[in-house]
Amino acid sequence: MSSVQLSDFEDKFQNPSSVLHDALTGSFVEASKVMTPNGLKVYLDGAGALHAMGKGEDMVISFLEETPMVVREVGESIIGEIVFSIMKLSSQTSAAVIVLMISSLPNVARRMSDFDLLKGYLRLLERMIALAPRGMRPMLNNIDLLTSKLTLGGLRRWVLYGAETFNRDFKAQIAYFELSSAESLQILEQERRGTLFIDNQRKLQFYLRAFYNRDFFLRPTSGDYETKKGLKPYIEYGVMHIPDAYDDYKHASGRIVPGINCYRAVCAHAAAHIMETTSAFKGDQLNPLQVACVSLIEDLRVELNTIKKFPGMKKLWIALHPEDEDLKDLNPFIIDLVDLSRLALDSKYKAKQSFNKDFLKLFNTEMKVSENSSTISFELGLEYYEIIKSETDVKISASALVAAPISYRDDNRYIWEYVDLDWVSEGNDYVPASQRQVR
């Protein structure tokens, strides 16, 4: 029995119509199934605040009916964000447009399936209403189509292009946002990404489960919010944070790796860390180059252990290693790291640096003795740093170091901040309904 009673909030809905009363009663039952008592309080307080605005009951009814479905996908923390956005939009547009926005939120939440992404979407609407208010209604009428083709970053760039380009041409603005102009469709196509995470999320979860017979939690991140290049994947609190889209990976030679294989490689590598990394690395006393060397050795250790169990992973990971032509403009230090990585994984590859061949012999010898211990990665990583420092003139900027070219590998914050995880209680704080396992 919920500790929150609907009768406690009756004073917030003075003289409701029968339609609002029925919506309030029915929605409270549904909300009780997906919200905690605290979430229910925020939900009902929010509905009461919207009712007090005097914008009509349709907006309140829409909020009451749609919000539980949104919460089911991204968690109840989104409730306050929705209320905040509605109040901000209400001073700049009509109640009818706000009702349209609210009614579209469940589908948008299903496409994004992440609190931060949906929050970013709401902030984008707030920005758009200030720049192109006449475009809001036609865009919301097409939002299902837009979110099926664009990431949040792509949608942001598409919106801002139209809002800024047609700021004073209202007729063209409406045509752009209702997708009836050639320029709108051209920019839409320009911002499309090859493979979207949301379309492959379940496949990737089943892919990992087939290997490890356990669940892994995957969440999309708006990796291309500012630029199409995007962010590196990362692991935090046992959750894989994966870019919400991958284009096909194109080598300078013309060879193409499909976007879905990029996703498989990213998820398989992250799963390898979760399964194989056994201890934390203390990096407080290390410089960035030492951290990069230790991280590379640990990446290789977990990948080689995984390849022993699942040999097919080798081809997947080798395919996403930069080829010689891809490395032309990169720092020599990065090229040396890639050289060692390719040498360790690909028996057909010929090393460019003789010291990498010598170090690999040492690495393989240590692996035979302690392949299951992360400790050897720390010790060998520091030893490799001393070797590479003595053999080459190591000069590299922090930005060049961060932009490592092996795209499927995560940023390794996980191995430097590792904690023992209780997967039942700490593996994830909220799992969207659309990605829960049904057994």
Side-chain angles (χ1 to χ4, degrees):
M1 187 71 178
S2 172
S3 61
V4 175
Q5 302 299 319
L6 184 57
S7 58
D8 297 337
F9 295 83
E10 287 181 348
D11 61 321
K12 296 183 180 292
F13 304 93
Q14 296 294 331
N15 302 316
S17 67
S18 59
V19 177
L20 175 57
H21 182 271
D22 291 345
L24 188 58
T25 305
S27 299
F28 180 76
V29 174
E30 291 302 313
S32 299
K33 298 176 183 177
V34 295
M35 298 177 197
T36 64
N38 184 59
L40 279 172
K41 185 177 185 305
V42 175
Y43 169 67
L44 293 172
D45 281 338
L50 298 181
H51 182 66
M53 289 169 60
K55 284 271 189 175
E57 291 188 345
D58 286 348
M59 185 171 69
V60 183
I61 292 170
S62 185
F63 172 81
L64 288 168
E65 293 178 344
E66 308 294 350
T67 300
M69 289 185 281
V70 178
V71 168
R72 189 176 288 115
E73 295 298 330
V74 300
E76 64 183 32
S77 297
I78 200 65
I79 301 171
E81 299 293 338
I82 295 173
V83 174
F84 176 83
S85 283
I86 292 172
M87 290 185 165
K88 196 165 184 179
L89 294 174
S90 65
S91 63
Q92 297 170 290
T93 190
S94 67
V97 171
I98 295 176
V99 168
L100 187 60
M101 182 273 281
I102 298 171
S103 64
S104 68
L105 282 180
N107 281 339
V108 175
R110 272 188 288 274
R111 291 297 303 178
M112 297 188 174
S113 68
D114 179 74
F115 168 80
D116 289 327
L117 291 185
L118 190 58
K119 180 181 175 181
Y121 170 75
L122 293 172
R123 298 295 90 84
L124 176 60
L125 294 185
E126 294 163 16
R127 186 172 179 185
M128 179 186 169
I129 202 70
L131 295 173
R134 288 174 175 81
M136 183 67 81
R137 184 191 293 269
M139 188 194 76
L140 290 172
N141 284 329
N142 289 289
I143 198 62
D144 289 349
L145 174 64
L146 290 169
T147 53
S148 71
K149 296 180 181 295
L150 301 176
T151 63
L152 176 60
L155 179 63
R156 173 183 174 272
R157 289 188 293 275
W158 180 82
V159 165
L160 295 183
Y161 178 90
E164 292 167 359
T165 303
F166 306 111
N167 182 258
R168 297 183 183 278
D169 188 342
F170 301 139
K171 185 176 180 180
Q173 183 183 118
I174 292 172
Y176 180 91
F177 285 105
E178 68 182 10
L179 297 176
S180 62
S181 72
E183 191 166 5
S184 173
L185 296 175
Q186 179 186 347
I187 302 300
L188 176 63
E189 189 63 30
Q190 180 180 308
E191 293 298 340
R192 285 186 68 171
R193 299 295 301 275
T195 305
L196 299 183
F197 173 83
I198 191 64
D199 294 330
N200 295 279
Q201 185 172 0
R202 281 185 175 275
K203 296 176 187 175
L204 293 169
Q205 288 173 312
F206 291 141
Y207 175 75
L208 293 177
R209 185 168 184 79
F211 290 116
Y212 293 105
N213 193 33
R214 55 155 288 180
D215 292 332
F216 291 88
F217 295 109
L218 283 62
R219 279 187 171 176
T221 61
S222 185
D224 68 340
Y225 192 71
E226 293 296 338
T227 66
K228 290 187 76 171
K229 185 176 181 181
L231 302 173
K232 289 181 74 66
Y234 64 94
I235 309 167
E236 198 166 57
Y237 302 115
V239 180
M240 301 179 196
H241 294 262
I242 313 294
D244 50 4
Y246 270 111
D247 291 324
D248 294 346
Y249 184 88
K250 298 178 182 178
H251 289 279
S253 64
R255 189 165 64 92
I256 295 175
V257 180
I260 186 60
N261 282 1
C262 296
Y263 269 121
R264 288 173 181 148
V266 166
C267 292
H269 177 80
H273 271 307
I274 291 171
M275 300 299 293
E276 299 282 347
T277 297
T278 56
S279 60
F281 296 144
K282 303 296 183 183
D284 296 341
Q285 305 301 318
L286 304 186
N287 65 49
L289 300 183
Q290 290 173 313
V291 170
C293 290
V294 172
S295 294
L296 171 63
I297 303 307
E298 179 66 359
D299 282 339
L300 291 175
R301 186 189 71 82
V302 301
E303 286 182 7
L304 290 171
N305 282 345
T306 301
I307 288 169
K308 281 186 177 180
K309 302 169 189 171
F310 315 115
M313 293 294 184
K314 176 189 285 191
K315 183 178 179 181
L316 186 68
W317 286 328
I318 290 175
L320 285 165
H321 271 64
E323 298 172 349
D324 292 345
E325 293 181 43
D326 301 323
L327 298 171
K328 285 182 178 178
D329 300 323
L330 294 180
N331 183 281
F333 176 74
I334 296 295
I335 294 175
D336 290 341
L337 295 188
V338 173
D339 185 51
L340 175 61
S341 186
R342 289 177 70 181
L343 183 65
L345 294 180
D346 188 356
S347 58
K348 297 179 181 178
Y349 175 73
K350 295 183 178 180
K352 303 293 186 295
Q353 297 282 17
S354 59
F355 64 79
N356 276 336
K357 288 192 287 187
D358 294 336
F359 178 79
L360 184 61
K361 292 177 184 177
L362 172 63
F363 175 68
N364 287 337
T365 300
E366 292 296 325
M367 282 287 284
K368 290 177 183 178
V369 178
S370 307
E371 65 179 18
N372 295 319
S373 171
S374 298
T375 305
I376 67 165
S377 297
F378 189 84
E379 296 169 351
L380 288 175
L382 295 182
E383 188 167 342
Y384 181 64
Y385 167 74
E386 294 300 329
I387 292 172
I388 202 171
K389 187 174 69 169
S390 66
E391 294 285 346
T392 63
D393 183 19
V394 179
K395 292 181 179 178
I396 184 170
S397 66
S399 59
L401 191 60
V402 170
I406 304 178
S407 60
Y408 71 85
R409 288 179 179 161
D410 55 86
D411 66 6
N412 275 334
R413 71 182 67 178
Y414 183 75
I415 69 175
W416 295 100
E417 300 176 356
Y418 183 83
V419 293
D420 291 329
L421 288 174
D422 172 3
W423 277 91
V424 175
S425 62
E426 297 182 45
N428 197 5
D429 58 348
Y430 189 80
V431 183
S434 57
Q435 66 164 293
R436 292 175 193 158
Q437 296 280 352
V438 179
R439 301 196 179 102

